[in-house]
Amino acid sequence: GAGVSQSPSNKVTEKGKDVELRCDPISGHTALYWYRQSLGQGLEFLIYFQGNSAPDKSGLPSDRFSAERTGGSVSTLTIQRTQQEDSAVYLCASSLLRQETQYFGPGTRLLVL
Amino acid sequence: AQSVTQPDIHITVSEGASLELRCNYSYGATPYLFWYVQSPGQGLQLLLKYFSGDTLVQGIKGFEAEFKRSQSSFNLRKPSVHWSDAAEYFCAVGVQGAQKLVFGQGTRLTINP
């Protein structure tokens, strides 16, 4: 079946612009996660959605970062007023249930000039 | 705080040789443990996982890992590597069940022909 998909695959933006990154989880998966992979920090948890529960935002690095999940499926990660240190690969994952294996998408590579 | 240590940043082995990648974790409760592999420009692919039960777990592509609670380790092994195994390998511990994954810094594997 189809895996986790993310778009765009690459994004180049100028410092100060806003960007939106999209994640389509595996159909039927109730949990969705965002991670960031950067050279300096490795792989970091950002945010987690489970069904209709309030998301766990404990990993978001600043209030410039936000995410939403509409209809319990597609999620959008928004970065406002991008900074050069936001340059990274943003990975999305989904799992069938809360305590199940996470399956990752190919990521969105973000470059902030 | 939870943490994962992969002591080897880069390992080089010859094709056909055996492989062991080390992983040590720090976590107060019974851990959920994972190994993921990432090829260049790709997302993370699950190799294997340990939730409970038999401490020797088998994964895809001929990999296995052994959970040793006394050593807080979850080392990944393969008896004979193939050139296609060249990639980056990440060990992760799932906290709060498997809601958040805390990753090690990764080990980059190079295969000599």
Side-chain angles (χ1 to χ4, degrees):
Chain A
V4 177
S5 61
Q6 294 185 244
S7 61
S9 53
N10 291 280
K11 176 73 176 178
V12 180
T13 190
E14 294 179 348
K15 178 181 172 181
K17 302 280 190 181
D18 297 351
V19 295
E20 287 188 350
L21 312 179
R22 177 187 169 105
C23 172
D24 283 88
I26 294 172
S27 178
H29 280 195
T30 62
L32 187 147
Y33 315 77
W34 284 96
Y35 292 85
R36 179 170 69 174
Q37 185 175 26
S38 57
L39 282 177
Q41 301 299 320
L43 273 155
E44 305 170 280
F45 166 82
L46 295 177
I47 188 169
Y48 156 71
F49 296 89
Q50 170 60 52
N52 296 321
S53 302
D56 178 348
K57 306 179 183 179
S58 60
L60 295 178
S62 79
D63 58 9
R64 296 186 296 105
F65 287 72
S66 62
E68 62 177 18
R69 188 177 185 193
T70 53
S73 181
V74 171
S75 177
T76 302
L77 177 69
T78 301
I79 308 174
Q80 296 178 308
R81 305 180 303 281
T82 52
Q83 304 294 312
Q84 289 181 331
E85 60 263 29
D86 299 335
S87 296
V89 177
Y90 290 83
L91 293 165
C92 176
S94 69
S95 65
L96 184 59
L97 296 170
R98 185 171 69 89
Q99 294 190 10
E100 291 291 327
T101 302
Q102 296 179 29
Y103 295 91
F104 283 79
T108 293
R109 187 174 301 274
L110 175 66
L111 178 61
V112 181
L113 300 176
Chain B
Q2 305 85 8
S3 65
V4 176
T5 301
Q6 293 179 247
D8 304 305
I9 295 174
H10 184 204
I11 284 183
T12 300
V13 299
S14 298
E15 190 168 14
S18 63
L19 172 70
E20 182 169 29
L21 301 182
R22 295 182 291 165
C23 172
N24 291 93
Y25 67 90
S26 173
Y27 185 55
T30 301
Y32 289 42
L33 295 163
F34 306 82
W35 275 99
Y36 284 88
V37 61
Q38 185 178 38
S39 298
Q42 304 296 312
L44 298 169
Q45 181 183 20
L46 179 70
L47 284 176
L48 47 77
K49 62 188 179 187
Y50 171 79
F51 282 8
S52 65
D54 193 346
T55 56
L56 183 64
V57 294
Q58 302 296 321
I60 62 171
K61 305 185 180 186
F63 285 92
E64 67 177 27
E66 186 170 12
F67 169 56
K68 292 185 177 180
R69 184 186 299 273
S70 61
Q71 299 177 19
S72 298
S73 69
F74 189 56
N75 294 347
L76 182 71
R77 300 194 294 250
K78 187 170 184 177
S80 176
V81 298
H82 185 262
W83 63 266
S84 60
D85 293 326
E88 188 140 21
Y89 291 79
F90 292 92
C91 180
V93 61
V95 303
Q96 298 176 218
Q99 275 173 221
K100 299 181 191 179
L101 294 180
V102 174
F103 287 88
Q105 288 296 101
T107 297
R108 184 160 61 93
L109 176 65
T110 299
I111 307 295
N112 280 337

